[in-house]
Amino acid sequence: MTELMRTLYQYGSRARITCGMEDYEQYCENSKLLEKNLQALQERLNPDEMKKLENFLYEQNVLHDLELEAAFCSGFSIGQELSRV
């Protein structure tokens, strides 16, 4: 990813992410439900299980971030190609 692409990606992910969501209300509801369920799960886990969960969630987030960056790069590349048409 070039520096320009990284800057655009970071700006988009912080300032413009809600513009691309078709159903922001649904996103907010799901986010709250996920947080509630995660908290309930964390309350039931012992320290060892909690550490395993934290490690799993960290790795899952890393993977998800890589997928988002790849999707952005793909869209950026398509946009560049279409601008030449």
Side-chain angles (χ1 to χ4, degrees):
M1 185 180 293
T2 67
E3 192 60 35
L4 171 63
M5 290 171 71
R6 182 158 306 286
T7 300
L8 290 171
Y9 176 77
Q10 289 171 344
Y11 169 73
S13 65
R14 282 192 307 264
R16 308 287 294 178
I17 192 74
T18 58
C19 296
M21 290 186 184
E22 290 185 22
D23 193 347
Y24 185 68
E25 185 177 314
Q26 182 68 40
Y27 171 81
C28 290
E29 286 179 28
N30 286 359
S31 182
K32 289 176 187 175
L33 182 60
L34 179 66
E35 186 62 34
K36 179 182 172 186
N37 289 337
L38 179 59
Q39 186 176 6
L41 175 61
Q42 289 172 331
E43 290 171 0
R44 294 184 181 107
L45 299 177
N46 66 45
D48 185 51
E49 293 169 330
M50 186 64 187
K51 184 66 176 166
K52 289 177 183 176
L53 175 63
E54 288 172 354
N55 290 340
F56 170 79
L57 292 175
Y58 174 80
E59 293 299 327
Q60 186 179 39
N61 283 331
V62 168
L63 182 62
H64 184 68
D65 287 345
L66 291 171
E67 292 168 344
L68 289 175
E69 286 184 19
F72 174 82
C73 289
S74 176
F76 191 89
S77 175
I78 291 168
Q80 285 181 312
E81 290 297 317
L82 290 173
S83 72
R84 294 182 189 128
V85 174

